[in-house]
Amino acid sequence: MADLKYYDVILKPIVTEKSMNSMADKKYTFSVHPNATKNQIKEAVEKMFAGTKVVSVNTMNLDGKNRRRGNTAGKTSKVKKAIVQLTAESPEIEIFSGL
């Protein structure tokens, strides 16, 4: 397993209609490093966003999609997503506050 620092774990937030609806329950969706564990994701969220406390982390591994360009076929990269549940007392994550 790679030695990941907390700033390498979270790649980007995922902003979709479904993820925006779950923000009312203090659930935030992120694209994370494929080798990151749940403990690493929890630690990264708590360090990157001050004052947040994580209750649970749910992860899902998504395989790459099949793509063709002419006669050449291939696959896109694998992706790992994490849904992070914050405590009721935690402040909202500021990345999502303006959306």
Side-chain angles (χ1 to χ4, degrees), residues 6-66:
Y6 73 92
Y7 47 80
D8 293 328
V9 173
I10 295 177
L11 302 178
K12 63 182 179 181
I14 296 177
V15 181
T16 60
E17 187 174 351
K18 186 175 182 180
S19 68
M20 297 303 282
N21 289 337
S22 66
M23 284 175 40
D25 301 328
K26 295 232 179 184
K27 291 184 180 181
Y28 298 92
T29 308
F30 297 98
S31 176
V32 296
H33 193 279
N35 294 335
T37 64
K38 289 184 179 186
N39 288 331
Q40 289 173 329
I41 296 168
K42 178 180 178 179
E43 178 185 334
V45 170
E46 290 177 350
K47 284 187 179 180
M48 290 179 74
F49 308 106
T52 59
K53 292 295 281 179
V54 176
V55 175
S56 66
V57 177
N58 295 337
T59 60
M60 55 196 103
N61 289 308
L62 306 173
D63 288 333
K65 295 181 178 181
N66 293 323

Side-chain angles (χ1 to χ4, degrees), residues 23 26 28 49-50 52 86 90-97:
M23 284 175 40
K26 295 232 179 184
Y28 298 92
F49 308 106
T52 59
L86 301 181
S90 292
E92 291 187 9
I93 294 179
E94 294 178 10
I95 292 176
F96 297 96
S97 62

